[in-house]
Amino acid sequence: MSQDGIGNLVIIARQESFMGNQYTSGRLRSQGLFEQRYGLFEARIKLPVGQGIWPAFWMLGNDCTGETICDEGETLWPEVGEIDIMEYRGQDPNAIAASIHGPGYSGASPITSTFRLPDEGSFADEFHVFRVEWDPGRIAFSVDDEVFNIITTPEVTPRGEWVFDHPFFMLLNLAVGGGYVGDPDETTVFPARMEIDYVRVYERAE
């Protein structure tokens, strides 16, 4: 991770050997530093392209403890709750997904929706603002002020418990490979760059 000299933070994924792995990249988290219940969370990001490239802007419940971040397989996940503000497959640069995970609707079966840019545009061409507005019993996702996914308690409770009434912390990362995107191939160009202009959080007005 580094700054690009014009004010953007850049998370860079490289194809290089490190501790037995084929790739290196980065993940930022506000765990232990900043967490909030409800409000508006947004980031302005330019995304990379490529088979197996997996950027995300997301949140986890602050129940997570210790050195781990409560990834899938940890005992507290998905009970802590997960809000995926933006999740993206580098091989499908026209689309992002916004999802929530909790007990009964997690892993490969989240409550989710997809947003596609008009005219076959690519999220790699320019910066876009990814946002979630989180209120009691309601979570709304938008891209560039266009709301495309609203999830409410009545939609969730037939599948499982609503677990979104406590503070969450934020994460930004650029993963390489995994079940959601598959492995990189000969068409994938490294280094891949996820450029972040800003991250902003607003409290919910009482």
Side-chain angles (χ1 to χ4, degrees):
M1 289 174 281
S2 63
Q3 291 186 308
D4 64 358
I6 56 174
N8 300 315
L9 174 69
V10 185
I11 303 176
I12 303 174
R14 294 184 171 90
Q15 187 174 19
E16 59 184 356
S17 179
F18 180 74
M19 298 181 65
N21 298 303
Q22 294 179 298
Y23 309 97
T24 62
S25 188
R27 168 186 279 168
L28 300 173
R29 59 184 180 182
S30 69
Q31 184 181 17
L33 301 171
F34 176 83
E35 57 191 38
Q36 181 172 295
R37 181 179 70 164
Y38 310 139
L40 186 152
F41 302 74
E42 68 176 23
R44 186 171 182 264
I45 306 172
K46 185 178 180 181
L47 299 171
V49 296
Q51 166 66 39
I53 301 299
W54 183 4
F57 173 37
W58 53 302
M59 301 166 66
L60 281 172
N62 70 337
D63 313 62
C64 298
T65 57
E67 295 300 320
T68 68
I69 63 157
C70 252
D71 275 330
E72 185 174 356
E74 299 286 332
T75 56
L76 291 177
W77 189 94
E79 286 75 14
V80 297
E82 177 178 328
I83 300 173
D84 296 329
I85 305 168
M86 178 277 298
E87 198 168 17
Y88 167 88
R89 293 181 172 97
Q91 61 263 44
D92 187 8
N94 177 251
I96 63 102
S99 316
I100 62 171
H101 299 254
Y105 50 98
S106 63
S109 302
I111 298 173
T112 187
S113 185
T114 299
F115 176 90
R116 288 193 174 275
L117 289 171
D119 302 321
E120 300 301 318
S122 169
F123 282 103
D125 290 340
E126 58 186 346
F127 285 88
H128 294 272
V129 177
F130 306 98
R131 176 185 299 154
V132 65
E133 295 182 59
W134 174 25
D135 298 294
R138 180 181 183 273
I139 299 173
F141 299 92
S142 64
V143 174
D144 299 330
D145 296 319
E146 181 178 341
V147 177
F148 68 97
N149 188 13
I150 298 176
I151 302 170
T152 61
T153 304
E155 182 181 355
V156 171
T157 49
R159 297 179 59 177
E161 182 183 358
W162 176 270
V163 290
F164 304 98
D165 292 314
H166 62 285
F168 277 53
F169 61 89
M170 297 180 293
L171 304 99
L172 279 162
N173 64 263
L174 176 55
V176 179
Y180 187 66
V181 294
D183 293 331
D185 61 20
E186 66 279 358
T187 68
T188 309
V189 177
F190 289 97
R193 295 163 53 93
M194 178 182 182
E195 302 175 44
I196 300 112
D197 178 18
Y198 63 74
V199 178
R200 295 174 180 168
V201 180
Y202 302 86
E203 292 182 339
R204 178 178 178 271
E206 297 298 331

